[in-house]
Amino acid sequence: MLHAGPPDMDPENPEPGELSREEFTFPDIAGNEALVEPLYGSWEANMSHALDRSPVDVCRQRGEDRIVIGNFAAVRVIRTGRDVTRVKEGDLCLLQAFARTDALGYVRLVHAYDAPGTIGVLAKRTKIGEHLLLPMRGDSRFSVRQWAAGYGRYWTAWDNWKVAYACWRSQVRYPPQDLPVQPLVFGWGGGVTLAELELAKRDGFAVAMASGNPRRLAEFEAKGIIPVDRGLFPDLDHDEERLAADAGFRRRYRASERAFLRIIAELSKGQGAAVIIDNIGRPVYRASLRALGRQGVLTTVGWKHGMRLETARATECIKRHIHVHTHACCFHDMEEIRDFQERTGWIPDLGDQRVYRFDDIPQLARDYAAGRLDTYFPLFQVNDN
């Protein structure tokens, strides 16, 4: 469980929270709910945001003293309410985080994050509204672990790429394969970015991604993604105040930015990137805009560092850059995405990566925050499969 922060806490300097194992009770399931036991879950960025209390203390935003977080997992149905028709006892399902959506099916409040009264999957048992449970296919060729690890990030990637590609095509008359120079999609980030680049490659783009981890660079190459060593531009960490005040930092930053721009120019054959997927934010934002070609798209679903960014609007207008911001995916697309994954194999290969046991989840949170994970798809296990 996560407890609310101190009532007098400075929101600009929040006191991080920690997970603690406790007993809790909740009312019996309503007619449209199911009692479930989580099996495997995926550690997501919103869970770290909740622990960091950044950008908000979600406990206090919800008006609750303590909450159970965790909103992407494969679960087993134990018992259903009298009005439930979509699932039955014993079904394996994927939990959707769409606690509340707008009229078009896009999420407003996230289950087990900012939606009041919702109970997440960091619990041996929890209850879920029937509409948030998507039954897993009984004939799936992929393991429960693979589905639990991949669907949250992959479904977010599906939605963001669909919008970004449509925006790019709104200004480019021909598809990538019909252009004289194959356009480049470059990615900053983690699992969502990696999944998105796989889609971009399917659509005919050259794709590249940066990392400082040799194992990840090898994984990119195995997937047909051009690996870009982050160590080639180690000081690409934009900070406007330090640029103005620290000559040494300014010199190092500019050298790294030039190195990055040379790499993009080489990979794009001088065209600049057609699309840059930036789920990092402030450290790479300036360089990304400079690396983006004309009619280029800068697209994001995340804000790992820096939620507020400054843009030279005149430059962006002249270069006809489109900025795309999406969150999660459309509720109505879930079954289509699931079936696309099954058909194409667009799902993570977990290999022999570690799965954190229930009592080790607080350590997983610390390892994720410290960047000690070798995988983009961190997994935990709550109950036996």
Side-chain angles (χ1 to χ4, degrees):
M1 302 205 74
L2 172 65
H3 287 253
D8 58 350
M9 184 178 65
D10 178 4
E12 298 299 321
N13 188 30
E15 179 182 317
E18 293 185 356
L19 295 172
S20 58
R21 183 166 182 176
E22 304 173 24
E23 291 187 358
F24 80 107
T25 60
F26 51 85
D28 196 11
I29 56 175
N32 63 346
E33 294 178 326
L35 181 69
V36 304
E37 54 181 11
L39 303 177
Y40 294 100
S42 172
W43 187 268
E44 302 288 330
N46 72 69
M47 300 169 74
S48 290
H49 294 326
L51 291 179
D52 293 341
R53 310 192 203 281
S54 176
V56 296
D57 183 336
V58 291
C59 295
R60 297 207 171 276
Q61 184 183 53
R62 290 169 49 160
E64 300 170 37
D65 293 332
R66 60 178 187 162
I67 62 174
V68 180
I69 61 173
N71 40 34
F72 286 97
V75 303
R76 180 188 292 116
V77 177
I78 302 300
R79 181 162 53 88
T80 61
R82 62 182 180 279
D83 301 323
V84 171
T85 59
R86 189 180 188 187
V87 299
K88 63 183 185 302
E89 181 180 330
D91 279 354
L92 297 181
C93 301
L94 299 175
L95 167 61
Q96 310 311 308
F98 298 79
R100 295 181 191 170
T101 62
D102 61 23
L104 296 178
Y106 294 102
V107 66
R108 283 184 175 273
L109 294 180
V110 177
H111 179 89
Y113 181 68
D114 56 358
T118 55
I119 307 167
V121 299
L122 297 191
K124 287 292 186 176
R125 288 192 173 185
T126 184
K127 62 175 183 174
I128 307 294
E130 174 190 23
H131 69 292
L132 299 185
L133 295 174
L134 178 67
M136 296 174 63
R137 290 175 44 155
D139 61 350
S140 178
R141 55 196 173 111
F142 304 114
S143 69
V144 176
R145 289 198 311 161
Q146 282 179 283
W147 281 111
Y151 80 98
R153 287 172 171 84
Y154 274 61
W155 295 10
T156 297
W158 165 283
D159 183 83
N160 188 252
W161 177 249
K162 179 175 68 174
V163 177
Y165 182 52
C167 286
W168 183 78
R169 282 302 308 273
S170 72
Q171 299 194 100
V172 179
R173 186 181 301 270
Y174 303 105
Q177 55 270 25
D178 292 345
L179 295 175
V181 175
Q182 187 181 28
L184 173 72
V185 178
F186 179 84
W188 301 106
V192 174
T193 303
L194 180 62
E196 205 160 337
L197 289 172
E198 291 184 72
L199 292 178
K201 185 173 183 292
R202 286 178 176 272
D203 282 333
F205 291 85
V207 294
M209 186 168 176
S211 175
N213 184 317
R215 180 172 174 176
R216 288 177 178 169
L217 292 172
E219 180 184 356
F220 300 164
E221 191 165 24
K223 289 177 175 290
I225 297 169
I226 301 167
V228 177
D229 186 355
R230 188 69 170 82
L232 297 174
F233 33 91
D235 296 302
L236 193 68
D237 185 358
H238 183 253
D239 185 317
E240 196 63 38
E241 291 184 1
R242 287 191 67 189
L243 278 174
D246 185 337
F249 174 82
R250 184 165 59 248
R251 184 171 55 254
R252 294 190 301 274
Y253 172 81
R254 288 177 175 171
S256 281
E257 185 178 80
R258 286 193 297 271
F260 170 68
L261 294 177
R262 283 195 298 269
I263 290 170
I264 295 297
E266 178 182 348
L267 294 178
S268 66
K269 296 180 173 56
Q271 301 296 305
V275 180
I276 292 183
I277 304 163
D278 172 20
N279 292 329
I280 299 298
R282 177 195 52 76
V284 300
Y285 185 66
R286 186 177 101 159
S288 294
L289 290 178
R290 293 185 173 191
L292 200 59
R294 291 188 58 80
Q295 290 77 244
V297 175
L298 183 74
T299 188
T300 183
V301 296
W303 48 89
K304 186 171 184 179
H305 297 294
M307 289 182 62
R308 294 175 177 84
L309 303 170
E310 185 174 297
T311 301
R313 294 179 67 184
T315 302
E316 296 308 285
C317 288
I318 292 167
K319 292 184 176 181
R320 298 189 66 94
H321 287 168
I322 297 177
H323 293 234
V324 171
H325 300 83
T326 68
H327 182 216
C329 67
C330 181
F331 184 84
H332 307 299
D333 288 346
M334 294 185 299
E335 293 188 20
E336 179 185 356
I337 305 171
R338 177 201 62 189
D339 292 345
F340 174 84
Q341 289 187 270
E342 187 69 48
R343 186 171 66 253
T344 64
W346 183 58
I347 198 168
D349 180 4
L350 302 179
D352 59 354
Q353 77 169 60
R354 177 182 179 182
V355 178
Y356 287 74
R357 302 293 297 180
F358 186 67
D359 286 332
D360 297 328
I361 290 175
Q363 184 61 49
L364 168 58
R366 291 189 288 269
D367 290 345
Y368 181 91
R372 290 193 291 261
L373 301 176
D374 277 334
T375 177
Y376 286 134
F377 306 100
L379 264 181
F380 55 85
Q381 183 172 4
V382 179
N383 290 290
D384 292 334
N385 186 10

